[in-house]
Amino acid sequence: MNKPMPNHFIRAITSNDLANGKHDYIYTRFPPEPNGYLHLGHAKSICLNFGLAKFLGGKCNLRFDDTNPEKENMEFVDSIRDTVAWLGFEWNKLCFASDYYEHLYGFALELIDKGLAYVDDLNAEQMREYRGNLTEPGKNSPSRDRTPAENRDLFERMRAGEFKEGDYTLRAKINMASPNIVMRDPIIYRIRYAHHYRAGDKWCVYPMYDFTHCISDALEGITHSLCTLEFQDNRELYDWILSNITIDENLNGEKGKLMPRQIEFGRSNLEYSIASKRKLVQLVNEGHVDGWDDPRLTSLVGLRRRGYTPKSIRDFCTEIGVTKKDSTIEMGVLENAIRQDLEASAKRAFGVLKPLKVVITNYPEDQSETFEVSNHPKDDSMGKRRIPFGREVYIDQDDFMLEPPSKFFRLGPGREVRLRYGYAITCNEVIQDNSGNVVELHCTYDPLSAKGKTADGRKIKGIIHWVSAADAVDAEIRVYDRLFTQPNPAAADDFISLINPDSLIVFPNAKVEPSVLEAGSDGHFQFERVGYFCFDSKDHSAEKVVLNRTVSLRDTWARVDQT
C-alpha cells in the first residue's frame, strides 16, 4: 500500500477552499520546462500536484512551459511524459505553453493599449544599471514614456522580424521604485531568431516565463498554482499580470472563475547529490557519469535504471512532506524507502560477486539434486524455487580466509560451515596459484546434514550462500554507491574532486542462480546477504546478463557519517 496523503499546509488551504465554497473543485498542474531530465526534486512537485488533486477529487494537467526555443526539444518532452506515467500519475490534459502563443501575444497588446507595457531599447547592461538594487530604487528608461500607439507599432514590427536580437524588449510598466525588484518593469517579451521544436519558425518574439506561466494557469482554469520558494517574490507579478488582462472565459469554457492562487513550498535537497543543471551537464559532458540515466544520479531516469520503484519514490516524497521552508534530506531516507518496498516485494536468490570454486570431493561426480526453498521468507504467495546442487559450487571469496580470526564464522582451513538450505561442508585443502592467491577449495560434505540439521546434534554457526557451478549463470554485477563523498558537494569550489572513487564497482565474473533469469526484465530480487538487484535497462541482454545493485541491505554509511 502507498503511504497516506500527508496533512500539510497546502492540503489545509485547498481543503478549506473546497469546504467554504470558494472552489467547486481543485485543479492543479505540473509545469516543467522540456529542457532536461526530471530529478528527485521534480518528483516531489509531481506527487504534490497530482497526488493532491487526486486526493481531493480534482484534476491535474501536465503542461510544458516551452518558451525557450534554444534549449527545448521532443526528447525531453517524451522523457518527462514517460517519467510522470511511470510514477503512476495520469494527467487530465496534456498542455503546451507554445499552444497559447497567439493568446499571449494578444494579452501583451492589451497591456500596451492600456499603457501598462512599453517597448524598450536599453541593452542588457543598461537595464541592469537602471534597475537599481535592494537599497536603491531604479530609474525610468527613456523609452518608458512612449505612447501606446508607438509601442504597439514597434511590438508588431518586432513580431514581423524587422529588428535584430537585443534591439528591443517589451517590458511591463509597473514601478521602478518598488521594493520588490521583480516588479521594476520586468521584461515580458524578447526577440529570438531560433527554431522552436513545436512552433517552427513562425515566431521571432517569445514571452518570458513570468508572463507565460500565470496566463497559462488562468487559461487552463487552474485553481492553485503550486511552486517552490524561489518564486515567492514573483507572486506579486503573477497577480499583477492576471489583474490587468481580460480573460472572460478560459479554455474549458468556464466564465467568471476566480484567478489562480500561487502557493510556494520549500525545496528538499538530498545529501550526497547534485541538482544544479549546470553541474549535472558538467558531470555528463566530461564523462564522470554514464549519461543522464547513470544510476548514481538522482535523475528519475537514473533512479529507475538503478532499480528504484515508482512506489518507493512516492513513499519518499510522502515521508519528507511539504513545508514552508527549504530542507536537507538524508540519503538514508531515500534508501530506506526502496528497502522497505523491496523487502516486501522482491524474491530472494543467490548471487556470488567474487566466485571461488569449491570442489566437494566426497560428493559423487555423476550426482546432482535440488533444494526447494521459498522465494520469500515471509510471503508464501510468491511460491517456491528449486536450487540445483552438485559436486562443484561457487562461494564468495569474502566467505573464506586462510587465517581467520576467532569471530570469523565462515569458511577457513579445517573449518565447517553450512551452505544455506544445503549441506554442511568442511575445508580440507586450499589450492593457491604462484602468487599465493586462493583459486580453489577442496571440501567434504556431511550427507546427513541436510535441512539445517546434523545427525549428532552439533551446531554450525557459519552459514554462507553459494551457486551450483554446473548451473550458474554468468553475470556482470554493478555495485553502485553514493556519487559524492561529502553530504553537500554543491557547496564545494571543486565538486568534481568529491566524486566517490568507489561509487561504481564492477564485478565482471559474477555467478547467479538460474532462477534469476525467470524474473523478467522488470524483476527485482534480493541476493541474500548482498543487497537488492535488478537488470540494467540499457546494457542487459539475452547474450549478456548485467545486474545493478539498487541498494544494500542496510545503511553502510551510518557509521561513517557519525565519525
Side-chain angles (χ1 to χ4, degrees):
M1 292 179 61
N2 293 324
K3 292 187 176 182
M5 168 65 65
N7 189 13
H8 48 71
F9 76 101
I10 295 180
R11 171 181 163 181
I13 290 171
T14 50
S15 297
N16 186 61
D17 285 347
L18 285 175
N20 64 24
K22 184 176 181 179
H23 296 286
D24 297 330
Y25 58 86
I26 300 300
Y27 207 154
T28 61
R29 80 291 168 270
F30 173 61
E33 181 183 358
N35 65 348
Y37 294 92
L38 301 182
H39 55 68
L40 204 56
H42 293 112
K44 178 177 178 177
S45 181
I46 293 170
C47 292
L48 173 58
N49 280 284
F50 282 95
L52 183 68
K54 182 177 181 180
F55 178 76
L56 296 176
K59 306 174 185 177
C60 183
N61 287 351
L62 173 58
R63 180 176 73 238
F64 293 97
D65 277 340
D66 51 352
T67 60
N68 289 311
E70 299 97 336
K71 300 180 179 180
E72 300 158 350
N73 60 56
M74 281 302 300
E75 175 189 350
F76 297 133
V77 169
D78 292 341
S79 174
I80 291 169
R81 290 180 61 177
D82 180 64
T83 297
V84 173
W86 173 73
L87 280 173
F89 297 107
E90 297 181 8
W91 47 87
N92 181 57
K93 291 182 179 179
L94 181 66
C95 306
F96 295 84
S98 53
D99 287 341
Y100 310 144
Y101 279 175
E102 286 290 352
H103 292 282
L104 295 164
Y105 182 78
F107 291 127
L109 289 175
E110 180 182 356
L111 291 177
I112 290 172
D113 292 341
K114 289 179 176 179
L116 295 175
Y118 62 96
V119 175
D120 195 7
D121 52 14
L122 291 180
N123 60 37
E125 184 178 346
Q126 292 169 327
M127 204 170 291
R128 282 192 294 271
E129 178 186 343
Y130 275 64
R131 183 171 288 120
N133 52 47
L134 292 173
T135 59
E136 296 179 358
K139 57 183 179 180
N140 292 345
S141 167
S143 306
R144 202 173 194 266
D145 293 329
R146 283 192 173 115
T147 66
E150 291 174 312
N151 286 316
R152 175 181 268 268
D153 175 66
L154 284 170
F155 189 52
E156 289 174 342
R157 291 166 63 191
M158 286 169 60
R159 177 178 180 175
E162 293 188 24
F163 308 115
K164 300 190 300 295
E165 288 189 14
D167 281 355
Y168 292 104
T169 59
L170 181 67
R171 300 177 66 181
K173 191 175 183 179
I174 307 177
N175 180 9
M176 290 301 295
S178 173
N180 182 356
I181 293 180
V182 172
M183 300 299 286
R184 295 181 185 176
D185 292 9
I187 297 173
I188 57 176
Y189 263 89
R190 78 282 199 203
I191 300 171
R192 284 288 185 276
Y193 291 100
H195 182 82
H196 191 278
Y197 76 104
R198 294 187 76 247
D201 299 315
K202 180 179 179 180
W203 294 89
C204 61
V205 289
Y206 287 93
M208 300 296 288
Y209 173 85
D210 280 336
F211 183 70
T212 305
H213 186 76
C214 57
I215 295 175
S216 299
D217 283 346
L219 288 174
E220 293 173 16
I222 301 304
T223 60
H224 296 81
S225 180
L226 312 180
C227 58
T228 46
L229 280 177
E230 67 263 33
F231 294 101
Q232 183 170 286
D233 290 342
N234 301 61
R235 189 201 319 156
E236 188 177 357
L237 178 58
Y238 184 104
D239 293 341
W240 183 92
I241 292 171
L242 292 182
S243 297
N244 286 288
I245 62 173
T246 305
I247 301 181
D248 294 323
E249 183 177 329
N250 65 33
L251 297 178
N252 302 319
E254 299 168 316
K255 299 180 180 180
K257 292 292 182 181
L258 296 173
M259 70 178 186
R261 176 182 180 181
Q262 177 175 305
I263 305 174
E264 305 86 21
F265 60 93
R267 282 180 177 272
S268 295
N269 301 304
L270 188 68
E271 289 184 341
Y272 298 96
S273 66
I274 289 284
S276 162
K277 189 165 293 182
R278 177 181 60 82
K279 293 181 177 180
L280 287 171
V281 167
Q282 182 179 348
L283 285 172
V284 172
N285 290 347
E286 293 181 359
H288 301 291
V289 294
D290 178 29
W292 290 96
D293 62 348
D294 188 294
R296 292 167 292 179
L297 295 177
T298 53
S299 62
L300 294 179
V301 290
L303 290 171
R304 182 178 182 178
R305 183 179 172 190
R306 183 162 172 168
Y308 275 76
T309 62
K311 181 180 182 301
S312 68
I313 301 296
R314 295 194 303 267
D315 286 349
F316 167 74
C317 293
T318 298
E319 182 69 24
I320 64 177
V322 178
T323 64
K324 296 182 180 181
K325 295 182 179 180
D326 291 342
S327 59
T328 299
I329 308 300
E330 294 181 358
M331 179 65 81
V333 178
L334 175 64
E335 293 173 339
N336 190 53
I338 186 64
R339 281 194 192 98
Q340 288 185 349
D341 187 15
L342 295 183
E343 162 60 28
S345 62
K347 292 183 178 180
R348 277 32 175 184
F350 286 157
V352 176
L353 275 60
K354 296 183 290 183
L356 173 61
K357 180 176 282 191
V358 173
V359 179
I360 303 173
T361 55
N362 63 332
Y363 193 90
E365 292 188 30
D366 58 351
Q367 182 175 317
S368 65
E369 58 187 295
T370 59
F371 302 115
E372 185 178 76
V373 302
S374 296
N375 282 319
H376 195 290
K378 298 179 182 178
D379 189 349
D380 292 338
S381 68
M382 290 192 184
K384 297 181 180 297
R385 72 186 194 277
R386 302 191 74 86
I387 304 175
F389 177 79
R391 177 182 171 88
E392 296 182 354
V393 299
Y394 291 110
I395 67 170
D396 200 285
Q397 293 176 18
D398 291 342
D399 284 334
F400 175 83
M401 291 184 70
L402 270 173
E403 298 178 1
S406 59
K407 293 186 178 181
F408 183 79
F409 298 117
R410 283 171 267 179
L411 198 58
R415 287 197 172 199
E416 183 181 40
V417 298
R418 177 176 295 282
L419 299 177
R420 185 159 173 78
Y421 303 124
Y423 297 105
I425 62 171
T426 301
C427 179
N428 307 116
E429 183 180 4
V430 179
I431 311 299
Q432 297 173 274
D433 62 16
N434 293 333
S435 300
N437 299 310
V438 177
V439 295
E440 187 172 294
L441 304 177
H442 290 177
C443 299
T444 54
Y445 87 114
D446 178 358
L448 301 178
S449 62
K451 298 182 180 180
K453 298 179 181 180
T454 55
D456 58 6
R458 70 185 184 280
K459 295 182 179 180
I460 302 172
K461 290 186 176 181
I463 300 176
I464 61 176
H465 61 288
W466 54 277
V467 176
S468 167
D471 304 278
V473 175
D474 295 329
E476 176 180 299
I477 290 184
R478 300 169 181 176
V479 173
Y480 292 98
D481 210 330
R482 302 178 187 188
L483 183 57
F484 298 99
T485 58
Q486 297 297 320
N488 187 17
D493 293 333
D494 180 14
F495 77 100
I496 296 295
S497 67
L498 299 179
I499 291 177
N500 177 10
D502 296 323
S503 60
L504 169 60
I505 299 176
V506 179
F507 297 90
N509 302 309
K511 308 290 184 180
V512 300
E513 69 170 84
S515 69
V516 167
L517 296 183
E518 301 170 6
S521 60
D522 294 328
H524 294 80
F525 26 82
Q526 182 199 105
F527 287 150
E528 298 191 28
R529 295 178 48 230
V530 181
Y532 294 98
F533 291 80
C534 70
F535 294 110
D536 183 84
S537 58
K538 179 180 288 186
D539 298 329
H540 170 74
S541 67
E543 293 73 33
K544 182 180 180 181
V545 177
V546 181
L547 300 166
N548 296 334
R549 187 180 75 174
T550 304
V551 69
S552 59
L553 293 181
R554 59 187 60 83
D555 185 0
T556 57
W557 286 69
R559 177 182 55 82
V560 176
D561 291 345
Q562 294 168 7
T563 58

